[in-house]
Amino acid sequence: MLFEECKKRLAGLPAPSILSFGCATGEEVFSLAKYLPQARIIGVDINRWCLKQSASKNSSNRQRFIHPMSQQFAELTGLDAIFCMAVFQRTEHRTESARPTDTGFTFERFESEVTLLDKKLKPCGLFFLDECDFSFEQTAAAAHYEPLEFEGNRVLRQRPLFGRDNRLITSEYSSVRCFIKQVA
């Protein structure tokens, strides 16, 4: 559903640029390529083994895989869409006693990553986030985004959601999965 919406929204672009942030072994990149064969898709992952696996399965010059600490990633800008699916979460946070401060994956770190990605996305770009431990809407970057309205963009989540103070807010909430960046 999200890939279909991305395809629909980017249909008018001859060669959209898409980032799969936290691409693991490339499945998201390869799936996106089926929906948008004309797209230039960059997969980014912190795990070098995953990047090697992704590269070994890649047969297209329209897809590449890079490390987030690389110069290539640092220079990456002007993206039309960014996907962060199940990246900004920790399994440990789903226990009753665990908190973000225990794992080091705090709101501050989440907001820092979101801010970095925001700088790489062009105005009117699409930002897909799903299965996050924190609410994108609570970040400073969210001030210049609007939720997109389409079937399936708002879903009921039954998982922990933590606030800016890293404390549990709720375990059931409505989550928006796609936002559009507004023109400054």
Side-chain angles (χ1 to χ4, degrees):
M1 180 177 318
L2 297 178
F3 291 178
E4 274 293 333
E5 191 63 28
C6 185
K7 175 182 176 180
K8 181 176 130 187
R9 301 270 177 171
L10 301 182
L13 301 176
S17 58
I18 301 172
L19 176 67
S20 171
F21 189 75
C23 70
T25 55
E27 289 79 10
E28 184 173 84
V29 170
F30 302 129
S31 294
L32 280 165
K34 290 176 185 173
Y35 283 86
L36 295 133
Q38 77 284 14
R40 179 179 61 97
I41 306 170
I42 301 107
V44 171
D45 204 277
I46 194 79
N47 187 314
R48 292 186 191 281
W49 181 87
C50 287
L51 291 173
K52 286 179 188 174
Q53 295 300 308
S54 301
S56 72
K57 295 186 276 186
N58 186 21
S59 60
S60 172
N61 63 358
R62 300 191 70 70
Q63 295 138 34
R64 63 188 168 121
F65 298 90
I66 60 177
H67 194 273
M69 299 305 226
S70 69
Q71 189 65 32
Q72 295 161 311
F73 183 69
E75 295 172 355
L76 191 61
T77 60
L79 295 165
D80 295 297
I82 297 175
F83 281 81
C84 298
M85 311 304 282
V87 174
F88 296 126
Q89 61 158 332
R90 295 295 178 270
T91 305
E92 311 89 277
H93 293 172
R94 292 190 205 130
T95 65
E96 287 190 32
S97 61
R99 292 188 206 227
T101 51
D102 298 337
T103 63
F105 186 67
T106 61
F107 180 84
E108 293 78 16
R109 186 165 168 204
F110 170 70
E111 186 168 43
S112 175
E113 294 283 333
V114 165
T115 300
L116 173 70
L117 294 172
D118 169 57
K119 293 175 183 173
K120 296 180 177 307
L121 190 64
K122 67 170 79 169
C124 300
L126 306 174
F127 202 177
F128 294 88
L129 297 122
D130 201 13
E131 301 286 343
C132 297
D133 285 348
F134 304 97
S135 171
F136 172 70
E137 291 97 325
Q138 289 189 349
T139 67
H144 52 273
Y145 284 83
E146 292 291 329
L148 279 178
E149 297 302 329
F150 62 89
E151 186 178 341
N153 192 27
R154 294 177 189 270
V155 294
L156 181 64
R157 289 286 179 223
Q158 294 181 327
R159 53 167 303 157
L161 181 68
F162 297 91
R164 294 182 65 83
D165 62 359
N166 298 304
R167 293 180 187 212
L168 182 67
I169 296 172
T170 186
S171 294
E172 184 174 297
Y173 57 97
S174 177
S175 177
V176 175
R177 304 186 299 163
C178 180
F179 298 85
I180 187 165
K181 187 173 185 175
Q182 302 300 298
V183 178

